[in-house]
């Protein structure tokens, strides 16, 4: 593996919107700097960085070079007075269009049960996989069709809750920023009419239907008993598949995303939308009939990712809010009102805490159709959380909302989920400053960080190249599957590789671009999905 030289000047390695603020971050002492045309190397702007400040989280003395005055479209780089240079980057009205296409195309590469062909997959194709029926744990002799959907992560498991979260982010992105999805990135199903994002989400939704048992409950996950080797391609992972038991969390997530899909797909496919709504309603009835369900734990003999969740009020809240928004039926509104008064997180957007999706659904229903007190409480709470994130970002050397303790396994999910919440605050308040803060989070993901690393495979000039992702390890292709979001720094050092190599590092430096580092460099669908959302916002035009 080639050595990664960390530059003292870090930028978004893709680029910056022509309008709005533009900053590079420097380490070390204060600098005079110049913005150079990347082709001619002539200076188009010069400035002086701000005073340096020690940033404990990154372990660096950081200062800012503002070049917001540069607005002409083109390719640029930044040079310090000592000759140090940054990555090249572009300035355009919509610099993230190709990035968004790649982040979305990643879901095609996650597909299970179908051949990924050369026309669409390039060198990263593989044969159809996981076509065998799966055994239902606890029901001897029962086998069910398990094919389709998306692999969850660097392994080949498929999980109902995380899958629902990923689809929700993509559907929200389309609902809020449809102009960002007018261009096709070409899928086998592309018909020239239906937006490709909806075609791709349908792949996962069609699989989720298979996870619902006859009584309405939803199987928590579908996996082999244990993970295959790191170099095993999906078509060679032929161990027996198992449906793990139904859980309330999975059922609530299913009901929420299906009710959401029923609304969004109706203009495109009324029959599919009706099927989604019917499935959501049956799932809701299961939840009503099972008010006190224990949290999910792996059954004996299953050692794949558990995605355990002891608290299911958040999933029920999301389900009720989406069903109310889609149907207008009072019984769902009554459920929302009862659940909203319970003490669970209502602004989180992770696979374990889905209450934020319920809050968004309820606020999007509108003041006229909602309880005045609950609406106000949720709106004020969402804006207060966004203000907290913005305040943390202002104090952070790299302008993101993670505190030292937030550099957890999958910290980049927090980076993008927080950016999504900030953009929700922009939507409900009209304040552009929230979008500016969200954009800083995208800058971080794409290289403006202490490690000078783009955490998206194939994007930027210092991207992650060795993700913990079985197809990228086993396919014999030098470059990894493109468009995958890496998990990012994890101060807990949760795998052997980083425990050996990263002891004593500051939180934001606890990352290894190595395929053995599953705790810092794995990839998942639900780290990609909020990144698609954020990119779509800034591909819809900058109004800041």
């Amino acid at each position: 593996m080639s050595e990664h030289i960390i530059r003292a000047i870090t930028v978004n390695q893709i680029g910056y919107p022509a309008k709005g603020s533009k900053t590079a971050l420097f380490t070390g002492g204060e600098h005079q700097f110049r913005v150079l045309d990347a082709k001619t190397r002539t200076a188009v702007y010069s400035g002086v960085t701000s005073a340096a400040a020690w940033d404990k989280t990154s372990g660096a003395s950081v200062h800012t070079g503002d070049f917001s005055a540069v607005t002409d479209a083109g390719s640029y780089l930044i040079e310090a007075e000592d000759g140090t240079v940054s990555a090249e980057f572009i300035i355009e009205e919509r610099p993230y269009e190709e990035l968004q296409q790649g982040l979305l195309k990643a879901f095609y590469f996650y597909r299970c049960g179908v051949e990924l062909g050369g026309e669409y997959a390039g060198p990263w194709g593989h044969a159809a996989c996981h076509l065998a029926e799966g055994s239902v744990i606890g029901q001897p002799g029962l086998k069910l069709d398990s094919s389709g959907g998306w692999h969850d992560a660097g392994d080949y498991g498929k999980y109902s809750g995380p899958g629902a979260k990923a689809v929700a982010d993509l559907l929200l992105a389309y609902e809020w920023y449809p102009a960002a999805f007018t261009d096709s990135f070409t899928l086998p199903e592309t018909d020239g009419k239906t937006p490709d994002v909806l075609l791709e989400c349908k792949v996962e939704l069609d699989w989720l239907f298979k996870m619902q048992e006859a009584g309405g409950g939803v199987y928590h996950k579908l996996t082999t008993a244990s993970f295959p080797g790191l170099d095993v391609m999906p078509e060679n992972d032929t161990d027996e598949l198992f449906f793990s038991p139904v859980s309330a969390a999975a059922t609530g997530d299913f009901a929420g995303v299906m009710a959401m899909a029923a609304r969004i797909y109706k203009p495109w496919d009324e029959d599919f939308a009706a099927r989604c709504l019917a499935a959501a309603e049956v799932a809701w009835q299961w939840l009503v009939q099972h008010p006190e369900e224990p949290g999910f734990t792996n059954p004996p003999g299953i050692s794949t990712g558990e995605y355990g969740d002891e608290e299911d009020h958040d999933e029920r809240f999301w389900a009720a809010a989406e069903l109310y928004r889609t149907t207008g039926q009072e019984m769902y509104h009554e459920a929302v009102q009862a659940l909203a008064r319970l003490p669970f997180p209502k602004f989180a957007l992770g696979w374990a805490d889905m209450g934020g999706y319920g809050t968004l659904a309820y606020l999007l229903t509108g003041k006229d159709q909602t309880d005045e007190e609950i609406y106000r409480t949720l709106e004020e709470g969402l804006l207060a959380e966004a203000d907290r994130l913005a305040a943390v970002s202002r104090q952070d050397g790299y302008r993101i909302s993670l505190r030292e303790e937030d550099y957890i396994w999958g910290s980049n999910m927090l980076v993008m989920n927080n950016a999504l919440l900030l953009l929700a605050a922009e939507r409900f308040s009209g304040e552009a400053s929230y979008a500016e803060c969200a954009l800083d989070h995208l800058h971080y993901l794409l290289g403006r960080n202490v490690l000078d690393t783009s955490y998206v495979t194939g994007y930027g000039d210092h991207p992650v190249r060795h993700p913990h992702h079985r197809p990228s390890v086993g396919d014999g292709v030098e470059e990894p599957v493109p468009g995958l979001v890496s998990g990012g720094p994890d101060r807990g050092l949760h795998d052997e590789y980083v425990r050996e190599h990263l002891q004593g590092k500051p939180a934001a430096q606890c990352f290894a671009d190595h395929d053995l580092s599953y705790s810092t460099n794995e990839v998942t669908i639900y780290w990609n999905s909020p990144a698609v959302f954020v990119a779509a916002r800034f591909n819809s035009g900058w109004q800041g």
Side-chain angles (χ1 to χ4, degrees):
M1 298 180 185
S2 59
E3 184 180 2
H4 172 68
I5 305 299
I6 298 175
R7 293 168 289 215
I9 308 172
T10 58
V11 296
N12 182 323
Q13 295 171 17
I14 302 298
Y16 298 80
K19 297 178 183 178
S21 65
K22 304 174 192 70
T23 57
L25 295 177
F26 297 68
T27 54
E30 296 171 29
H31 290 284
Q32 292 184 345
F33 70 93
R34 301 188 302 161
V35 180
L36 306 181
D37 182 292
K39 293 180 180 178
T40 66
R41 297 293 168 128
T42 56
V44 300
Y45 180 81
S46 61
V48 179
T49 64
S50 65
W54 177 253
D55 182 51
K56 180 185 176 186
T57 301
S58 62
S61 182
V62 187
H63 45 121
T64 300
D66 190 303
F67 57 101
S68 302
V70 182
T71 58
D72 290 342
S75 296
Y76 300 92
L77 56 84
I78 293 173
E79 181 183 53
E81 57 189 319
D82 62 0
T84 301
V85 296
S86 72
E88 291 188 15
F89 56 88
I90 62 173
I91 292 177
E92 290 182 1
E93 183 180 355
R94 292 178 173 85
Y96 310 123
E97 289 182 331
E98 186 177 335
L99 169 72
Q100 182 191 319
Q101 301 283 7
L103 291 167
L104 190 53
K105 182 65 177 285
F107 290 89
Y108 168 79
F109 289 115
Y110 277 117
R111 287 191 188 187
C112 179
V114 294
E115 178 184 2
L116 302 189
E119 179 182 355
Y120 301 100
W124 299 286
H126 60 74
C129 58
H130 304 103
L131 297 173
E133 292 184 327
S135 299
V136 180
I137 292 174
Q139 300 186 55
L142 178 60
K143 288 182 175 288
L144 299 173
D145 177 15
S146 65
S147 63
W150 300 322
H151 298 140
D152 174 69
D155 61 273
Y156 303 128
K158 296 185 286 191
Y159 303 82
S160 298
K165 183 259 193 293
V167 172
D169 291 338
L170 297 179
L171 294 183
L172 267 177
Y174 172 69
E175 183 179 33
W176 288 19
Y177 311 118
F181 294 94
T182 55
D183 293 331
S184 168
F185 65 90
T186 64
L187 295 174
E189 301 84 2
T190 298
D191 59 11
K193 299 176 184 177
T194 310
D196 279 356
V197 64
L198 300 187
L199 295 172
E200 191 58 65
C201 286
K202 189 174 182 295
V203 170
E204 184 75 350
L205 291 165
D206 282 339
W207 171 75
L208 281 169
F209 285 132
K210 299 179 181 182
M211 297 298 284
Q212 186 175 39
E213 49 90 32
V218 175
Y219 297 116
H220 193 81
K221 66 178 193 172
L222 173 71
T223 70
T224 51
S226 58
F227 293 125
L230 188 55
D231 62 351
V232 174
M233 289 295 286
E235 62 268 36
N236 297 324
D237 179 31
T238 56
D239 286 356
E240 185 175 5
L241 292 162
F242 296 95
F243 287 83
S244 286
V246 166
S247 73
T251 305
D253 286 334
F254 177 97
V257 79
M258 286 295 176
M260 187 183 200
R263 187 173 63 250
I264 290 174
Y265 280 87
K266 190 172 183 180
W268 305 97
D269 187 337
E270 287 197 13
D271 290 342
F272 181 74
R275 185 184 177 198
C276 290
L277 181 56
E281 291 175 327
V282 174
W284 178 257
Q285 286 305 311
W286 186 95
L287 290 169
V288 171
Q289 293 161 10
H290 298 79
E292 300 291 339
E293 281 291 298
F296 178 85
T297 55
N298 268 339
I302 301 294
S303 62
T304 49
E306 185 171 74
Y307 287 103
D309 191 353
E310 293 297 324
E311 170 64 84
D312 61 39
H313 289 114
D314 51 322
E315 287 87 4
R316 293 170 186 265
F317 177 58
W318 180 34
E322 292 287 4
L323 279 161
Y324 177 55
R325 186 178 177 207
T326 297
T327 69
Q329 292 184 28
E330 189 58 30
M331 67 174 179
Y332 298 123
H333 195 198
E334 290 173 359
V336 171
Q337 292 173 85
L339 288 161
R341 294 182 170 90
L342 299 179
F344 59 87
K346 298 183 178 65
F347 309 103
L349 299 164
W351 61 263
D353 295 311
M354 299 289 283
Y357 295 97
T359 292
L360 293 179
Y362 196 65
L363 294 178
L364 290 166
T365 303
K367 291 183 178 180
D368 292 345
Q369 303 298 318
T370 52
D371 179 273
E372 181 179 355
E373 179 186 355
I374 293 174
Y375 185 100
R376 183 180 69 253
T377 300
L378 292 176
E379 184 178 48
E380 289 176 352
L382 185 147
L383 295 178
E385 177 62 7
D387 288 340
R388 184 190 71 80
L389 297 175
V392 173
S393 301
R394 286 192 294 271
Q395 297 300 314
D396 181 74
Y398 286 88
R399 299 191 171 194
I400 63 166
S401 56
L402 300 196
R403 302 159 298 179
E404 188 175 17
E405 61 267 30
D406 294 326
Y407 284 87
I408 59 171
W409 191 331
S411 62
N412 281 338
M413 180 186 74
L414 293 184
V415 173
M416 289 292 98
N417 282 351
N418 290 355
L420 195 163
L421 188 135
L422 286 159
L423 292 174
E426 178 204 23
R427 184 179 187 90
F428 292 112
S429 71
E431 291 293 331
S433 61
Y434 293 121
E436 288 273 11
C437 189
L439 185 54
D440 280 331
H441 288 62
L442 190 61
H443 293 332
Y444 167 91
L445 189 77
L446 295 170
R448 205 183 69 180
N449 53 63
V450 70
L451 297 178
D452 186 31
T453 293
S454 169
Y455 289 115
V456 183
T457 58
Y459 288 85
D461 72 339
H462 279 183
V464 166
R465 297 192 66 242
H466 306 282
H468 182 87
H469 177 240
R470 281 165 176 77
S472 293
V473 174
D475 62 9
V477 180
E478 182 177 358
E479 294 298 323
V481 172
L484 307 178
V485 174
S486 168
D490 170 24
R491 68 193 290 262
L493 303 181
H494 286 106
D495 64 68
E496 291 182 8
Y497 184 87
V498 293
R499 280 195 293 272
E500 179 181 349
H501 292 88
L502 299 180
Q503 291 292 339
K505 291 284 189 181
Q509 294 191 39
C510 290
F511 172 79
D513 183 13
H514 196 288
D515 54 35
L516 292 179
S517 182
Y518 52 84
S519 70
T520 75
N521 206 28
E522 193 170 6
V523 295
T524 84
I525 53 175
Y526 55 87
W527 297 342
N528 261 70
S529 55
V532 172
F533 181 98
V534 176
R537 161 63 183 86
F538 298 106
N539 285 334
S540 298
W542 176 249
Q543 292 89 34

